[in-house]
Amino acid sequence: MSVLSQFDPEVASYIKEEETRQHDKIRMIASENSVSKAVMEATGSILTNKYSEGYTGKRYYEGQQVIDKIEDLAISRAKELFGADHVNVQPYSGSPANLAVYLAFIKPGDTILGMALPHGGHLTHGSRASISGKYFNAVSYELDENTGLISYDRIEELALQHKPKIIVAGHSAYPRQLDFKRFREIADKVGAILFVDMAHFAGLVAGGAHPSPIPYADVVTTTTHKTLRGPRGGMILCKEEYAKAIDKAVFPGIQGGPHNHTTAGIAVALKEALSPKFKDYAAQIVKNSQTLAKVLMEKGFKLVTDGTDNHLILIDLRNKDVTGKQAAKALDRAGIVCNYNTVPKDDRKAFDPSGIRMGTATLTTRGFKEEEMTQVALWIDKVVTNWDKEEVLDQIAKEVKELCNKKPVPEMF
Ligand code: DSN
């Protein structure tokens, strides 16, 4: 960053500061990861200079000789990785991708059925705070009160009662795999489009550590930066019959020109995900969250659904003497970064709920395995027990930094 440091030392120093923070901390936000140097170089390239509204061979600007090749490459790699008929790699991120799906299939006032936000759904799955809940008649399914699991029978009941045009499967905070076959059966019963948002677990699908929604869903969206370990972006994968509607909804429906530098970064990340090593990576993410879950439960923590089979865990802190926000803030001071999160039947507000959510993708990227995850769980226990004792938290932060120094983010995967 020598030129940036010379021209704008203020921004350069902030980037350096953030780089140090990312290096020194145990990053457990379930929607984050660390990209390779190759992805970073593609994303930070001169491709940011080019405007390319439209699609390959049908652009509204000249000079697309190279951009067309890059976009086609990203699309063909995504098709190969996920076995999809059609892929659009232009969505700026997951929320615009989801909006494009609604635009492609439904009209304002139509009914959608998605997972409730406080139960692990996403804002764009019909939350009243989002356009998805303001423009559409959003009906929400909740988790089973006793098990914390998705109740497919309940989804079916709601589907039969409300006849949604779209059923949304997918989540931001559900620690279990989804039964896409069952979702398909429910959608077929009411003639709904089955829309799967696999943003959180796309990398696990790519690496074979989570069932794929592709054979069952009409349309699948994903971000590219979570378990998939690419730059910040989005993709829509769909059956051939919906290709035109989806492309039209992304451009000109929701967006203008695609971010070509991001498309190139996505292409590189997809090449990484196609390598045999990515299977080991995806499997290790799950082993790591299961190790974390096991040790925490041995220490008396209550986990929603009593465990995990994906990249995340959701800790219900109601049997501990601390709220989600107090715990998240104490953990951050101790060098362990996560987010506070609502849990099923939470009686606290979303801004200071009863739980915390933690993911293992970023730690797996930097080489953490079962041994390190056990240590992380022991630190989490110590922080939660001593959340208001600054000297204990600061001592843990030092130990965290020592471990992080031994496990830098590798430049290549
Ligand atoms: N808000 C993101 C998350 O943290 O899960 C998903 O978009």
Side-chain angles (χ1 to χ4, degrees):
M1 293 201 306
S2 56
V3 177
L4 181 64
S5 304
Q6 247 183 325
F7 176 73
D8 194 337
E10 206 178 359
V11 167
S13 76
Y14 289 151
I15 294 175
K16 191 73 210 150
E17 207 181 309
E18 172 62 11
E19 191 180 353
T20 304
R21 188 197 68 84
Q22 289 189 16
H23 174 274
D24 289 351
K25 307 281 168 149
I26 285 185
R27 294 174 50 225
M28 301 191 75
I29 291 185
S31 45
E32 293 182 3
N33 209 327
S34 286
V35 300
S36 65
K37 190 99 190 290
V39 168
M40 199 67 90
E41 283 180 1
T43 310
S45 69
I46 48 77
L47 296 171
T48 196
N49 298 340
K50 186 73 195 109
Y51 241 111
S52 312
E53 281 180 7
Y55 292 100
T56 299
K58 287 171 284 176
R59 306 273 187 190
Y60 290 81
Y61 299 79
E62 295 311 313
Q64 309 298 343
Q65 294 83 354
V66 183
I67 298 303
D68 279 0
K69 288 192 256 189
I70 291 170
E71 193 168 316
D72 283 347
L73 186 60
I75 290 169
S76 69
R77 286 179 180 169
K79 282 185 178 176
E80 184 185 345
L81 183 63
F82 292 107
D85 291 353
H86 178 77
V87 179
N88 186 308
V89 294
Q90 294 194 3
Y92 300 143
S93 198
S95 299
N98 290 356
L99 265 190
V101 171
Y102 297 133
L103 182 66
F105 292 108
I106 55 175
K107 300 253 173 303
D110 282 347
T111 301
I112 61 171
L113 174 61
M115 191 190 260
L117 182 65
H119 286 246
H122 189 253
L123 275 168
T124 55
H125 298 178
S127 158
R128 297 275 171 257
S130 130
I131 192 169
S132 64
K134 289 188 198 292
Y135 282 24
F136 306 110
N137 173 36
V139 180
S140 300
Y141 52 88
E142 301 189 341
L143 300 176
D144 181 275
E145 287 202 352
N146 301 314
T147 60
L149 293 167
I150 286 181
S151 163
Y152 293 92
D153 290 343
R154 181 74 189 127
I155 297 174
E156 185 170 326
E157 262 173 45
L158 287 169
L160 290 169
Q161 185 186 343
H162 296 280
K163 303 273 185 308
K165 290 246 170 82
I166 291 184
I167 296 180
V168 191
H171 56 78
S172 285
Y174 183 65
R176 295 291 173 185
Q177 295 181 351
L178 299 180
D179 185 347
F180 299 119
K181 186 165 172 285
R182 186 74 203 276
F183 268 112
R184 177 77 264 167
E185 288 162 3
I186 298 169
D188 285 344
K189 278 198 176 164
V190 295
I193 290 284
L194 178 58
F195 159 26
V196 178
D197 177 348
M198 66 168 180
H200 262 269
F201 49 90
L204 303 184
V205 172
H210 189 291
S212 171
I214 299 292
Y216 301 100
D218 297 295
V219 59
V220 176
T221 61
T222 185
T223 49
T224 46
H225 46 268
K226 298 185 175 91
T227 48
L228 195 53
R229 213 175 57 192
R232 301 296 285 254
M235 297 197 290
I236 305 180
L237 307 89
C238 66
K239 298 200 185 302
E240 194 54 50
E241 62 186 295
Y242 304 124
K244 267 202 183 135
I246 287 295
D247 285 352
K248 225 172 107 188
V250 173
F251 172 83
I254 302 270
Q255 300 186 171
H259 293 173
N260 299 312
H261 52 301
T262 304
T263 309
I266 290 172
V268 177
L270 291 168
K271 182 171 180 173
E272 291 174 359
L274 279 161
S275 76
K277 274 197 295 186
F278 202 82
K279 284 205 176 344
D280 301 336
Y281 171 65
Q284 190 65 48
I285 290 176
V286 178
K287 277 188 221 161
N288 282 352
S289 51
Q290 287 177 337
T291 302
L292 184 69
K294 179 171 160 286
V295 181
L296 286 173
M297 287 191 294
E298 283 165 7
K299 287 281 170 192
F301 281 84
K302 168 86 187 91
L303 265 55
V304 174
T305 79
D306 295 321
T308 175
D309 42 36
N310 62 21
H311 63 301
L312 67 84
I313 62 163
L314 195 53
I315 305 177
D316 182 340
L317 291 164
R318 282 177 290 193
N319 65 344
K320 304 276 176 186
D321 187 21
V322 64
T323 70
K325 195 175 202 168
Q326 286 166 333
K329 292 212 169 294
L331 283 160
D332 190 49
R333 174 146 188 166
I336 299 171
V337 189
C338 68
N339 65 281
Y340 50 86
N341 216 98
T342 48
V343 291
K345 282 203 289 183
D346 207 329
D347 38 16
R348 301 183 60 85
K349 295 261 181 286
F351 203 58
D352 187 7
S354 301
I356 48 175
R357 181 188 70 159
M358 306 185 122
T360 54
T362 316
L363 296 182
T364 309
T365 295
R366 65 193 292 180
F368 280 44
K369 294 208 163 121
E370 288 84 335
E371 187 189 335
E372 289 82 15
M373 293 317 300
T374 302
Q375 177 58 67
V376 171
L378 298 177
W379 279 326
I380 293 168
D381 179 43
K382 199 163 174 188
V383 171
V384 167
T385 317
N386 297 278
W387 68 272
D388 52 353
K389 299 194 182 67
E390 289 180 356
E391 62 293 351
V392 178
L393 305 181
D394 292 344
Q395 174 55 34
I396 295 173
K398 277 192 203 138
E399 294 165 20
V400 162
K401 195 169 164 193
E402 275 167 33
L403 177 59
C404 289
N405 282 338
K406 289 188 205 144
K407 298 264 171 205
V409 176
E411 291 205 337
M412 289 204 38
F413 302 119

